[in-house]
Amino acid sequence: MKFITYIFLFFPFLIIGQIEPIIQDSTAVEYHVIDGDTIAVPVIQLREIVLNGKGKPYDKDARIRYLILKRKTHKVYPYAKLAAERLVALNERLATLEKKSDKKAYAKIIQRYIEDEFSAELKKLTRTEGQILVKLIHRQTGKTTFELIKELRSGWRAFWFNNTARLFDISLKKEFDPETVSEDFYIEDILQKAFRSGQLVPQEPAFPIDFLKIKEKWADLYYSKN
């Protein structure tokens, strides 16, 4: 998708990094189509319902939707993590440059590097993956994608790309809010489990997230996989 590539082209802090693939096992699978997504669901993962306090039982379709969200979160999180790391590196580098022309030249060099290395991968993201990426960029940097583009380029470009993204049902102004948005809560739940299992490399969010407190608030939605 071109617009999500533009997001990263105007983040001159995303120097090439390696994203480790998630190892898949050879368990027998069933294929399901949910909201246009086809997902292979390991048969053994469709476990019996477990009640957690006052939690509601989750049906099979809800479980599949969760697995789709999990797959997409695992896919885009490394990009958001890399964005946070490169933002720090960018600010440190720019702090050493005094001339505006030097800063501009440095940004152009990074943009060309990103275009050569990242464009093909970023264009493969779906609409929902793009929106999850926008949310996770906010989680890891503390700023929305719109704000970062505005700071690094201009307010006009931020406005333009936000309107372009809207054509794909994506808002670059979207924040990550697991306390009030159920999908964001599930994303945080997925991240916490992935950190504990070693599937994803943990990185502290840019703002405090009291997951245990949030989890208690969402008790009616949360379910246990154990």
Side-chain angles (χ1 to χ4, degrees):
M1 297 174 64
K2 291 184 179 180
F3 80 91
I4 201 68
T5 303
Y6 294 155
I7 294 174
F8 277 80
L9 288 178
F10 293 105
F11 284 178
F13 48 80
L14 283 180
I15 300 174
I16 185 67
Q18 296 296 323
I19 300 175
E20 297 182 359
I22 299 172
I23 299 175
Q24 303 292 333
D25 58 32
S26 58
T27 305
V29 297
E30 293 180 354
Y31 292 90
H32 299 264
V33 178
I34 301 294
D35 296 331
D37 283 296
T38 300
I39 181 171
V41 182
V43 176
I44 62 171
Q45 289 190 6
L46 298 178
R47 303 175 182 176
E48 61 183 284
I49 295 169
V50 178
L51 294 180
N52 184 4
K54 296 185 293 184
K56 299 177 181 178
Y58 263 62
D59 59 24
K60 186 175 180 178
D61 286 345
R63 172 64 175 163
I64 293 172
R65 284 192 292 270
Y66 180 88
L67 290 174
I68 291 173
L69 182 63
K70 177 181 177 181
R71 182 192 65 191
K72 294 183 177 184
T73 299
H74 280 217
K75 179 178 179 179
V76 303
Y77 168 79
Y79 288 111
K81 178 178 179 293
L82 190 59
E85 293 170 350
R86 296 313 183 229
L87 180 59
V88 173
L90 172 68
N91 289 334
E92 291 176 350
R93 172 59 175 157
L94 291 180
T96 66
L97 302 176
E98 297 182 358
K99 295 182 179 180
K100 186 176 181 180
S101 58
D102 290 339
K103 294 182 179 181
K104 186 175 181 179
Y106 174 70
K108 286 185 177 180
I109 292 173
I110 298 301
Q111 286 170 22
R112 285 196 295 269
Y113 192 79
I114 295 168
E115 188 171 5
D116 292 339
E117 300 294 339
F118 278 94
S119 293
E121 289 301 317
L122 294 175
K123 288 178 181 178
K124 295 177 183 178
L125 297 181
T126 66
R127 287 180 292 178
T128 52
E129 288 168 350
Q131 188 66 82
I132 293 171
L133 176 58
V134 167
K135 289 182 177 183
L136 290 182
I137 285 175
H138 177 255
R139 181 188 189 274
Q140 301 311 127
T141 67
K143 297 181 179 180
T144 65
T145 303
F146 182 89
E147 291 171 336
L148 288 170
I149 294 175
K150 185 175 181 179
E151 289 180 6
L152 297 172
R153 298 299 293 176
S154 70
W156 166 248
R157 286 191 180 276
F159 171 79
W160 175 256
F161 286 120
N162 189 60
N163 283 347
T164 301
R166 283 180 181 175
L167 298 178
F168 299 91
D169 298 324
I170 291 180
S171 171
L172 304 187
K173 297 181 179 180
K174 187 73 71 176
E175 297 182 354
F176 183 68
D177 186 10
E179 187 169 352
T180 60
V181 180
S182 61
E183 181 181 79
D184 293 359
F185 163 72
Y186 287 126
I187 291 174
E188 184 66 27
D189 176 57
I190 290 167
L191 290 177
Q192 293 298 324
K193 290 177 180 177
F195 295 158
R196 291 196 299 270
S197 66
Q199 290 179 289
L200 294 176
V201 178
Q203 182 186 65
E204 289 296 320
F207 48 87
I209 297 178
D210 189 341
F211 182 65
L212 291 179
K213 181 179 179 180
I214 296 173
K215 180 178 174 181
E216 182 178 351
K217 177 180 178 180
W218 289 103
D220 287 343
L221 289 178
Y222 187 80
Y223 68 93
S224 173
K225 290 174 58 180
N226 299 322

